Amino acid sequence: MRTADVVIIGGGIVGASVAYHMTATGCKNVLVIEREASPGKGSTGKSMGGVRAQFATPVNVQMSLYSIPFYAKFDEQLGYPCGYRPQGYLFCATSIHHMEYLRKNHQTQVQLGLKDACLVTDDEIRGKFPQLRADDIVGGAFCSSDGFVDPYSAMTGFMSWACDRGAELWKNTAVTGIRRDTQGVNGVETSKGVVRTRTVVNCAGPWAASIAQMAGVELPVQPLRRMLVPTEPFDQFPRSAPMIIDMTNGFHFRPEALGFLLAWNDPDETPGFKTNFEPSFIEKILTRAADRVPIFENLAVNPKRAWAGLYEMTPDHHPILGPVPQVSGFFLANGFSGHGVMHAPATGKILSDLILRGTTDLIDSSLLSLSRFAEGRLIEETAVL
Ligand SMILES: Cc1cc2nc3c(=O)[nH]c(=O)nc-3n(C[C@H](O)[C@H](O)[C@H](O)COP(=O)(O)OP(=O)(O)OC[C@H]3O[C@@H](n4cnc5c(N)ncnc54)[C@H](O)[C@@H]3O)c2cc1C
């Protein structure tokens, strides 16, 4: 029977980062189990790849302060590319209320040590991007080290680095059960047989609640569809543009290949495992695109290239990280609520710290524990895109 020091369930970017960080500390017997024929078929392969430190809550900023510099050095340190492009995130405020919100967030970010973020005036935004309709823009916030990564490459880099040093990835293998004895977890049942282990990490993305259920744990993580629309080549807006966010309605876009990638979170979307792209979304998003960038009226899109994926939402839009006290040896790395790519490096570090040392210096991990829901310690993040 196969044994492993640590079994990681799910071969997306989070599982890959946990495998990397565990292996980097010298742990040799790490096994990642992925039910698909190749990793990245879950949310990771559907992501927009945005990375930012411009958050409202200190814990999210702290996770980005580890993760973004990590991505900046990824290629050099791991020997694999992650496609980090520090083109920034520009939040465009269209009300005094937005501006107060950005100012407060900026103070939090600076206090925590973020050096690259600044507030910008409406004229600066107009000067830099005259293509934007700016009659209602009152100012904004920009951070130059925010930007984008290629989520698939980053996941592959983490996983390859770990496998080069002794970790193993089982593909085409579904986890079907989690075994327990009086001491806690003692194995994982899979479509390829049982693996004996005392440590299991749930990295199953939008499917995390069903894995938790196998260990008798109720996990408040729900799938929520998000759709992205890539445009055909378009050269009337700078390719060097940051992620630009219209705070009026949450419409945002960034350069991608020779065109742009358009995103907007439809408030009418309801939870569920819906991964089909809804064609009527194209008109909704193009209306918002042309409203903020009038020349986007000329954008061409091919609906066949648009796609949908799943966010893994928690009630307070923060991840759930760390051990489950009632089930010794069962760890959670779930519920990233749309931020799992940008926070994967920090998550891998936090999980490996908690598994190996029982504590981490990166964040106050009690803030993100599962017990916060039962204890009413929710920490609402409002800067969710
Ligand atoms: C449209 C869209 C845009 C996004 N944009 C961004 C963004 O700009 N920035 C950002 O940071 N985040 C973004 N996200 C969120 C981000 O993609 C996710 O938070 C992240 O990919 C989660 O990674 P993961 O490894 O936890 O999950 P996943 O990538 O979903 O991996 C989980 C894996 O677990 C496997 N699995 C599940 N059940 C089992 C089982 N029983 N046995 C074995 N394997 C199993 C699945 O097959 C899957 O491969 C976006 C998401 C979407 C959908």
Side-chain angles (χ1 to χ4, degrees):
M1 188 182 288
R2 173 76 154 89
T3 61
D5 291 340
V6 183
V7 169
I8 295 167
I9 304 174
I13 196 164
V14 172
S17 174
V18 175
Y20 163 84
H21 281 87
M22 292 297 298
T23 308
T25 57
C27 191
K28 290 277 175 235
N29 197 358
V30 174
L31 175 64
V32 182
I33 302 183
E34 169 55 52
R35 69 179 167 195
E36 298 288 345
S38 56
K41 297 246 160 117
S43 300
T44 300
K46 309 286 166 47
S47 170
M48 196 175 189
V51 298
R52 64 178 158 116
Q54 291 188 89
F55 276 101
T57 65
V59 71
N60 271 339
V61 177
Q62 285 169 316
M63 291 195 48
S64 297
L65 286 174
Y66 177 87
S67 298
I68 295 177
F70 188 101
Y71 278 133
K73 290 195 233 114
F74 194 101
D75 302 20
E76 187 191 319
Q77 294 205 336
L78 277 73
Y80 290 94
C82 75
Y84 172 59
R85 284 187 286 157
Q87 294 187 203
Y89 262 60
L90 173 64
F91 286 84
C92 296
T94 54
S95 73
I96 297 303
H97 167 72
H98 292 157
M99 214 45 226
E100 280 166 7
Y101 172 76
L102 292 177
R103 197 168 287 119
K104 191 162 162 278
N105 292 353
H106 180 249
Q107 273 169 8
T108 304
Q109 294 152 14
V110 170
Q111 274 165 13
L112 289 164
L114 179 64
K115 297 196 176 67
D116 308 318
C118 59
L119 296 172
V120 289
T121 65
D122 49 343
D123 281 343
E124 283 170 318
I125 294 176
R126 278 187 202 99
K128 191 108 180 107
F129 299 108
Q131 302 86 346
L132 297 178
R133 179 182 62 77
D135 54 330
D136 58 350
I137 292 181
V138 296
F142 179 73
C143 179
S144 58
S145 49
D146 288 353
F148 336 119
V149 296
D150 176 343
Y152 192 85
S153 294
M155 177 199 72
T156 305
F158 276 134
M159 196 77 88
S160 304
W161 192 98
C163 291
D164 292 346
R165 286 157 184 82
E168 208 181 333
L169 168 64
W170 282 5
K171 296 181 248 184
N172 285 313
T173 312
V175 170
T176 52
I178 293 176
R179 291 192 174 180
R180 297 167 59 176
D181 61 16
T182 49
Q183 289 173 51
V185 166
N186 77 350
V188 168
E189 293 167 10
T190 81
S191 52
K192 289 192 181 150
V194 175
V195 180
R196 293 189 76 91
T197 184
R198 284 283 175 200
T199 307
V200 170
V201 191
N202 180 355
C203 297
W207 302 274
S210 63
I211 297 293
Q213 213 170 28
M214 294 176 192
V217 175
E218 201 182 317
L219 189 67
V221 172
Q222 279 194 323
L224 186 65
R225 180 171 63 175
R226 290 294 194 227
M227 293 183 267
L228 295 179
V229 178
T231 75
E232 297 295 300
F234 188 80
D235 61 8
Q236 295 166 53
F237 202 95
R239 312 231 43 77
S240 56
M243 182 84 81
I244 297 181
I245 302 107
D246 180 351
M247 291 181 75
T248 319
N249 54 27
F251 167 71
H252 52 291
F253 65 98
R254 70 164 175 84
E256 168 72 10
L258 295 176
F260 286 82
L261 194 52
L262 312 180
W264 172 66
N265 296 332
D266 189 338
D268 293 334
E269 191 59 80
T270 51
F273 286 99
K274 293 174 269 180
T275 49
N276 61 308
F277 181 80
E278 174 54 54
S280 63
F281 183 73
I282 301 246
E283 195 187 329
K284 290 187 190 177
I285 198 164
L286 285 182
T287 306
R288 283 154 183 92
D291 178 56
R292 182 52 62 198
V293 191
I295 50 165
F296 275 1
E297 248 179 26
N298 309 323
L299 277 178
V301 302
N302 175 355
K304 290 197 178 129
R305 291 182 55 231
W307 71 86
L310 299 169
Y311 270 20
E312 341 80 325
M313 303 303 286
T314 63
D316 65 0
H317 303 143
H318 279 78
I320 304 172
L321 305 182
V324 177
Q326 301 83 338
V327 187
S328 180
F330 188 52
F331 289 80
L332 306 169
N334 306 120
F336 294 91
S337 306
H339 310 133
V341 168
M342 65 184 88
H343 285 162
T347 300
K349 169 75 176 138
I350 291 165
L351 265 291
S352 85
D353 283 350
L354 294 176
I355 292 167
L356 297 168
R357 296 197 286 124
T359 180
T360 183
D361 301 331
L362 207 154
I363 54 165
D364 172 358
S365 62
S366 69
L367 291 173
L368 300 183
S369 67
L370 174 62
S371 59
R372 73 180 185 270
F373 299 105
E375 293 163 8
R377 293 186 285 111
L378 277 65
I379 30 169
E380 187 63 27
E381 172 60 76
T382 41
V384 178
L385 295 177

